[in-house]
Amino acid sequence: MPPPHFMTLADLSVNQINRTLSHAAHLKRACKPLLAPHTAALGASSSLPPSLSLQHKSIALLFSKRSTRTRLSAETATKLLGGQALFLGKEDIQLGVNESARDSAKVIGRMCQGIFARVGEHAEIEELARHSPVPVMNALSSLWHPTQILADLLTLHEHADRFPSRPPLNSNTSVSGISPLPELTIAWVGDSSNVLHDMLVTYPRLGHKLRVAAPTGGAYQCPPEVWNRVKELGCDKGIDWSDDPMRAVHGADVVITDTWISMGQEDQKVQRLRDFAGFQVTEKLCKEGGAKKDWSFLHCLPRKEHEVDNEVFEGPRSLVWDEAENRKWTIMALFE
C-alpha cells in the first residue's frame, strides 16, 4: 500500500481535523512548562513530556520557498518529538537541477521517514507524493496551505471566550480538551490564495459561515480544481463570495486577510495594489460593513500595512502572535 499523504484539509474528515486539534492542544499543555526558563519550570515536575515518537527518525524539510514560521515550527516540533529535521533548501540538493522529483523522492524516502514539502506549483508536491515511499505532507503549495488553517482553528478555540452568546455548534464538530467554538461568521478580505482555499474546504464542514471578498477578474477567483473540492464536500452552501469587502465583513466574528502579493508575483505589485484598493482591514471598514462589535483579527504573516492597518494589527482584536505560535503545535500533532 502507498503511504498516507497529506495535501489539504479536504483530505481529512471532520473527526480527523478535530482529533488533530485536540492532540495539538495536549502537546502544547505538556510541552510549554518544559520549555519555560529553569526557575519557572521547577514547579512543573508533574508535567509529562510528549512521547518521543520520532526518536531515531528524520523528517526532510524540502523547501523551495523561504520560510520563517513553517521552518521554525517543523524543526522545533521534530526536536521535541525526539527526531531530527533536515532542512533541504533549493540550493542544498540536486532536486530541480540535476535530479528529477521522482528520483529525489525515492532517495529521500530511503533515508528519511517523512517529507514536509514547501513548494511552488502544487503539481510539484503531487509528483513527490507519487514516488515517495514515505508520507509527504504539504507545508505550502500554490493551491493549499492546510497547516495554517489548523493553527487558526486552534487559536480560535483558545479564544472561544471572545465569542459569547453565539449559537452553539452541533456536538459532532466539538473538539475534546479545549474550549468549544460556537457557530462563527468568518470573513476573508483578500486574494484567492492557498490559505483561503483550505478555509473553503474546512470552515463550512465545521459549522461556520464563510464570507469572502476578492477583487473581480480571473486572477482573483477560486481555481476550478479547488472549487470542485469545495462542491464535492458540500461546502459551497456555507460560502458567500463577492468583490465587496463591506459585504464580506457584515456580521463577522473573525476577519482574516493575507498577503496580496505572494512570492513570485513581485512584478505584479503595481497592478495588484490598484486592484485591492479598498480592501485594507481597518476599524472603519468593519464598523461601516457591520462586523460584530467584538470581532477578532487573524493574519498568517508576514504582514504589510496596506493589508491591515497598525490600529487593527497591533490592537486588542489581533490574535496573530498566538496564531503564529500555534503553527508549531499543530505541525507537531501532524508529525505524531
Side-chain angles (χ1 to χ4, degrees):
M1 286 182 61
H5 302 302
F6 176 53
M7 300 289 112
T8 164
L9 288 174
D11 295 337
L12 301 185
S13 69
V14 168
N15 284 338
Q16 288 173 316
I17 292 170
N18 286 338
R19 286 202 303 270
T20 302
L21 292 172
S22 179
H23 191 49
H26 162 72
L27 291 169
K28 186 175 183 177
R29 286 193 300 270
C31 292
K32 289 280 276 191
L34 304 175
L35 299 176
H38 180 67
T39 52
L42 287 177
S45 57
S46 60
S47 296
L48 297 175
S51 65
L52 299 179
S53 56
L54 295 184
Q55 193 166 26
H56 309 307
K57 295 180 174 66
S58 300
I59 293 182
L61 309 185
L62 197 58
F63 283 29
S64 63
K65 284 193 167 189
R66 62 184 180 269
S67 168
T68 300
R69 283 148 294 279
T70 307
R71 179 176 178 178
L72 282 168
S73 297
E75 291 193 4
T76 55
T78 305
K79 179 69 172 178
L80 278 170
L81 292 171
Q84 181 176 11
L86 301 173
F87 182 79
L88 305 176
K90 62 182 181 179
E91 304 297 329
D92 300 320
I93 58 175
Q94 298 288 354
L95 175 61
V97 181
N98 296 319
E99 195 161 37
S100 66
R102 172 186 176 275
D103 292 358
S104 296
K106 288 179 178 290
V107 170
I108 294 169
R110 292 293 186 100
M111 301 185 189
C112 296
Q113 287 64 56
I115 298 174
F116 194 46
R118 183 177 172 93
V119 301
E121 292 303 314
H122 187 70
E124 297 173 40
I125 197 168
E126 289 184 329
E127 179 74 1
L128 289 169
R130 268 193 294 273
H131 301 290
S132 172
V134 298
V136 175
M137 291 169 282
N138 186 2
L140 175 144
S141 71
S142 59
L143 289 185
W144 306 105
H145 199 355
T147 61
Q148 181 61 55
I149 307 312
L150 288 173
D152 290 5
L153 279 164
L154 181 58
T155 304
L156 292 175
H157 276 282
E158 290 176 339
H159 292 275
D161 59 351
R162 286 179 170 235
F163 313 112
S165 306
R166 270 59 162 188
L169 281 174
N170 188 303
S171 60
N172 66 8
T173 63
S174 63
V175 183
S176 64
I178 49 179
S179 299
L181 280 177
E183 179 185 307
L184 297 177
T185 297
I186 298 171
W188 172 269
V189 180
D191 197 2
S192 182
S193 68
N194 46 21
V195 174
L196 173 62
H197 299 164
D198 259 298
M199 291 172 60
L200 295 171
V201 296
T202 304
Y203 285 120
R205 287 194 290 153
L206 296 175
H208 306 299
K209 297 174 183 176
L210 190 55
R211 301 177 65 85
V212 178
T216 55
Y220 306 112
Q221 301 309 298
C222 187
E225 55 267 51
V226 172
W227 194 250
N228 287 341
R229 295 298 297 273
V230 171
K231 291 197 293 184
E232 285 171 11
L233 294 167
C235 291
D236 53 315
K237 301 175 184 65
I239 299 168
D240 180 85
W241 191 301
S242 74
D243 62 357
D244 184 355
M246 285 207 287
R247 173 173 165 175
V249 302
H250 184 74
D253 300 292
V254 184
V255 179
I256 308 176
T257 191
D258 186 11
T259 182
W260 298 348
I261 305 159
S262 297
M263 284 180 277
Q265 296 177 334
E266 290 81 3
D267 59 337
Q268 304 172 31
K269 180 176 180 179
V270 173
Q271 182 61 51
R272 282 181 163 265
L273 290 176
R274 187 179 301 123
D275 294 341
F276 279 100
F279 275 71
Q280 185 191 44
V281 176
T282 63
E283 290 284 350
K284 182 175 184 290
L285 169 70
C286 292
K287 182 177 181 179
E288 292 181 357
K292 299 275 178 59
K293 289 184 178 180
D294 51 359
W295 62 275
S296 295
F297 177 74
L298 293 174
H299 191 303
C300 70
L301 307 178
R303 161 260 186 179
K304 301 291 189 297
E305 193 173 351
H306 55 244
E307 299 152 3
V308 53
D309 71 2
N310 288 333
E311 182 182 11
V312 172
F313 185 78
E314 312 262 356
R317 300 188 186 278
S318 179
L319 302 175
V320 297
W321 309 121
D322 289 343
E323 179 187 11
E325 180 191 345
N326 282 335
R327 295 294 306 284
K328 173 174 182 163
W329 308 113
T330 47
I331 286 173
M332 190 174 176
L334 285 172
F335 284 0
E336 263 224 310

